[in-house]
């Protein structure tokens, strides 16, 4: 199973849940926090997923929305990304053709693999008109998909039975 990229693009256009003003606000109210690893070519997909997660009360970090991120990639960029991966409770990998070809995404998931527990890393497989992306990681990590009744569901590696994420 995978989330249709078409659905994520639609969700990016729809009004999302109000976003928290800061990471501290999210922590103060006990919200789930996540770092979203994705290709910058997939901005609409990232916003669409963030809107789904925000509707569940999540705070999702997207690097290009971070005002403290340097304009051009530098050592400071890598350091800031490492800090954000560690500070968030979950690491989410938005799997697309672009993320698999990215220079940053494989580095980010590799860093997360060393910095977080396996249960804190989740793959968001997507499907486009041609194929499903993210299969190479599904044997290692949990995956996120859309729940039948709405919202987001998590599935353990290799398992078809999942649970609703809140």
């Amino acid at each position: 199973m995978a989330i249709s990229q078409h659905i994520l693009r639609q969700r990016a256009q729809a009004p999302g849940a109000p976003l928290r003003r800061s990471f501290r606000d999210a922590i103060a109210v006990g919200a789930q926090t996540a770092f979203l690893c994705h290709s910058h070519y997939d901005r609409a997909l990232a916003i669409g997923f963030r809107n789904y997660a925000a509707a569940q009360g999540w705070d999702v970090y997207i690097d290009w929305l971070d005002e403290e991120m340097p304009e051009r990639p530098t050592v400071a960029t890598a350091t800031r990304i490492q800090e954000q991966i560690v500070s968030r409770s979950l690491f989410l990998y938005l799997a697309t053709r672009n993320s698999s070809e990215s220079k940053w995404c494989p580095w980010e998931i590799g860093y997360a693999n060393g910095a977080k527990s396996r249960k804190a890393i989740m793959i968001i497989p997507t499907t486009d008109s041609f194929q499903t992306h993210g299969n190479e990681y599904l044997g290692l990590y949990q995956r996120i998909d859309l729940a039948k009744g709405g919202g987001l569901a998590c599935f353990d590696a290799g398992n078809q039975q999942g649970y609703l994420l809140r």
Side-chain angles (χ1 to χ4, degrees):
M1 307 275 277
I3 301 174
S4 163
Q5 291 181 11
H6 177 74
I7 289 173
L8 289 176
R9 282 189 189 90
Q10 284 181 323
R11 189 60 183 235
Q13 300 301 319
L19 301 175
R20 288 184 178 73
R21 298 185 72 181
S22 73
F23 177 61
R24 285 190 182 115
D25 292 343
I27 296 297
V29 297
Q32 184 68 263
T33 62
F35 177 96
L36 183 62
C37 173
H38 65 288
S39 167
H40 285 207
Y41 292 117
D42 295 324
R43 287 177 180 238
L45 302 178
I47 292 297
F49 181 81
R50 182 194 64 172
N51 288 348
Y52 266 112
Q56 304 298 305
W58 290 30
D59 178 75
V60 177
Y61 174 86
I62 295 177
D63 60 354
W64 46 270
L65 295 175
D66 183 346
E67 294 176 1
E68 294 182 35
M69 190 62 73
E71 247 181 74
R72 294 208 167 112
T74 65
V75 171
T77 306
T79 301
R80 180 82 177 149
I81 286 172
Q82 288 174 327
E83 291 168 355
Q84 296 306 312
I85 289 171
V86 169
S87 69
R88 300 307 198 258
S89 56
L90 298 174
F91 175 91
L92 309 176
Y93 180 91
L94 184 63
T96 67
R97 178 183 358 198
N98 292 326
S99 61
S100 67
E101 295 173 0
S102 166
K103 293 177 183 174
W104 284 92
C105 292
W107 177 80
E108 289 172 1
I109 196 169
Y111 181 80
N113 192 65
K116 303 192 100 39
S117 74
R118 187 76 46 107
K119 287 286 190 183
I121 300 171
M122 298 178 178
I123 306 303
I124 307 161
T126 68
T127 185
D128 57 25
S129 303
F130 306 104
Q131 70 185 71
T132 298
H133 305 279
N135 292 328
E136 63 274 24
Y137 297 112
L138 296 182
L140 294 173
Y141 306 109
Q142 298 176 98
R143 70 178 165 84
I144 293 179
D145 205 339
L146 300 180
K148 289 182 182 174
L152 299 170
C154 180
F155 299 82
D156 287 330
N159 197 336
Q160 297 304 316
Q161 295 282 330
Y163 58 91
L164 197 58
L165 291 170
R166 302 225 185 258

